Amino acid sequence: SAGWPSLKICSSGDVPFNFEEKPSRRCSTVGTAAVFHSTSVHLSTPTWSPEMYGYGGSAAAPQQQFGGLTSFNATGAAAGGYGAAKAPALRKQRPQISLFVVLICLLAPIAVFGTVCGALSLSIRRSSPALAWFAVGAGALAAAGCTYQAVTTTWKRWNEQTTRDPFWYMFLSGTMLVAWTAAFCLGETNWWNNVVPYLELQTLDVRFDVDPATTVGQQLMDVGRVTFQKGTQLDLKQSIGFKNGDQYCVAPIVSSAGGKPESYDFWAIGLNCCSGGTADFHCGEYLNPKARAGLRIMREDQRAFYRLAVQQAEASYNIHANHPLFFYWMEDPQAELESYKDDAQQSFYLGSLAFSALQVVLVVLGVVLHSKM
């Protein structure tokens, strides 16, 4: 600016730079503006302060000296000088993602799902029920702990009490809750539909060469698998169904010798495989000429509706069923029994595999989303 002396930078061979007020033969004039536009000037001894020449900064302003060097800012002042330039804005850095955190978010929900589902749908539930329910409770406790940590961290971050990023806490909490809930539902369904019938049928007796014309239901109350005499067949003309949401279908198992038994105590059953009012039973292996065996139904909740269907048949066809027993009509009940075990294991393994694949997808999406935040 006007009235400020120009600065001359002089050099002579290896002589250090010095600031002079008057020009000389080896000095170049540097205007005040040139000093303003330089970022910093580092000078060796002797040190120089701009207060000596009456411009820039103030006498009270401290100088930044490092050994024999004095650092000047863009105004030529040592600190807090006139016209200080702003520092360039820092570039925003992407958030750091910890591999350890990602692995925890991937593996912990998978472990909870496998533990809870296995405890509820495998035979350990029957052999060691306390251990099975302990595993279920431990999974629930882990999910609850993650949820508490996520809520606490989010609340503190909202109130600026912590600098922790709550994203992965919330992610882990959500997937843990989903893992436990899905495992519990699948485990219970698998237990009651596959495991319980298999275990209970294993404990029941097996009978062969049973004649439905001379045998009554009370004689086979402890039987789980039965093979009837040759020539035993289904009387499809006296089949019927009872509807209560689902259609519960029944058809009497009779001897080919003919004649009307005193009590129709053996019935083939099926779910949603008949129209109900008319005789159109098409359940199980009803068309297989080699089928003459039955696997007993073990689900008590369905058994009551099949009894109601038999009562309808009694009223419709003027027959009697004093102690009706219900069987799935088939050729090989032993193979069907083993299928319960296979279905239980398959449901567990496929469910675990499906959830693991879903968890991998969710973690990848979480990493992508977090990197863009």
Side-chain angles (χ1 to χ4, degrees):
S1 59
W4 286 28
S6 299
L7 301 181
K8 319 290 174 112
I9 301 178
C10 304
S11 66
S12 175
D14 295 331
V15 179
F17 286 106
N18 293 278
F19 280 93
E20 298 181 357
E21 284 188 302
K22 295 182 180 180
S24 64
R25 190 162 45 87
R26 287 172 295 178
C27 296
S28 59
T29 304
V30 182
T32 306
V35 179
F36 277 30
H37 287 81
S38 63
T39 304
S40 62
V41 180
H42 298 282
L43 303 176
S44 61
T45 55
T47 59
W48 176 86
S49 175
E51 284 77 18
M52 296 170 57
Y53 295 92
Y55 64 89
S58 62
Q63 298 186 38
Q64 302 175 12
Q65 296 186 352
F66 304 91
L69 299 179
T70 303
S71 176
F72 294 90
N73 59 20
T75 65
Y82 174 79
K86 294 182 178 179
L90 294 177
R91 188 175 182 180
K92 185 179 179 181
Q93 297 182 351
R94 291 185 177 180
Q96 296 289 335
I97 299 178
S98 171
L99 178 60
F100 176 76
V101 172
V102 173
L103 289 177
I104 290 296
C105 291
L106 173 64
L107 299 179
I110 294 177
V112 167
F113 182 92
T115 301
V116 173
C117 187
L120 290 177
S121 62
L122 298 181
S123 58
I124 188 176
R125 182 171 175 177
R126 175 65 64 88
S127 60
S128 302
L131 180 60
W133 286 108
F134 175 80
V136 175
L141 187 62
C146 291
T147 302
Y148 174 79
Q149 184 67 30
V151 173
T152 302
T153 304
T154 304
W155 176 260
K156 289 182 178 180
R157 183 63 179 267
W158 179 266
N159 291 278
E160 299 181 353
Q161 297 177 4
T162 184
T163 58
R164 289 183 177 180
D165 186 0
F167 178 85
W168 290 111
Y169 289 96
M170 297 297 295
F171 180 91
L172 182 60
S173 170
T175 52
M176 288 283 279
L177 290 174
V178 171
W180 189 90
T181 304
F184 187 88
C185 294
L186 178 61
E188 283 291 290
T189 302
N190 196 21
W191 172 257
W192 292 109
N193 290 343
N194 297 315
V195 182
V196 168
Y198 173 79
L199 295 177
E200 291 186 350
L201 286 169
Q202 286 279 56
T203 62
L204 296 178
D205 196 7
V206 181
R207 294 289 182 89
F208 300 94
D209 201 31
V210 174
D211 185 2
T214 60
T215 307
V216 295
Q218 288 176 313
Q219 295 177 268
L220 303 179
M221 298 297 291
D222 61 343
V223 170
R225 288 164 285 170
V226 59
T227 301
F228 296 96
Q229 286 183 342
K230 289 184 178 180
T232 301
Q233 60 189 9
L234 301 181
D235 187 357
L236 299 180
K237 295 181 179 180
Q238 298 190 99
S239 64
I240 202 169
F242 175 81
K243 186 173 181 60
N244 183 38
D246 293 317
Q247 193 76 252
Y248 297 86
C249 308
V250 295
I253 301 172
V254 297
S255 175
S256 60
K260 183 177 180 180
E262 295 182 2
S263 178
Y264 290 81
D265 287 346
F266 303 101
W267 294 79
I269 61 170
L271 193 65
N272 298 320
C273 48
C274 63
S275 61
T278 58
D280 61 346
F281 185 90
H282 48 275
C283 307
E285 300 180 34
Y286 75 105
L287 290 179
N288 184 359
K290 296 181 180 181
R292 56 185 182 90
L295 188 67
R296 193 167 178 178
I297 183 175
M298 303 306 298
R299 291 190 58 175
E300 187 64 34
D301 58 327
Q302 293 183 355
R303 196 179 302 165
F305 295 110
Y306 286 121
R307 286 197 185 99
L308 292 176
V310 169
Q311 290 177 11
Q312 281 190 333
E314 288 180 294
S316 300
Y317 305 120
N318 192 25
I319 59 177
H320 298 284
N322 298 327
H323 299 284
L325 300 179
F326 305 106
F327 299 90
Y328 294 107
W329 187 249
M330 62 190 64
E331 180 181 357
D332 188 354
Q334 180 61 36
E336 184 67 19
L337 177 62
E338 291 299 323
S339 71
Y340 281 114
K341 180 181 178 180
D342 296 338
D343 290 344
Q345 295 177 345
Q346 186 177 21
S347 296
F348 170 70
Y349 290 126
L350 288 180
S352 299
L353 181 62
F355 182 82
S356 299
L358 174 62
Q359 187 66 17
V360 170
V361 173
L362 291 177
V363 168
V364 171
L365 293 177
V367 171
V368 174
L369 178 61
H370 185 259
S371 64
K372 294 182 178 181
M373 292 177 61

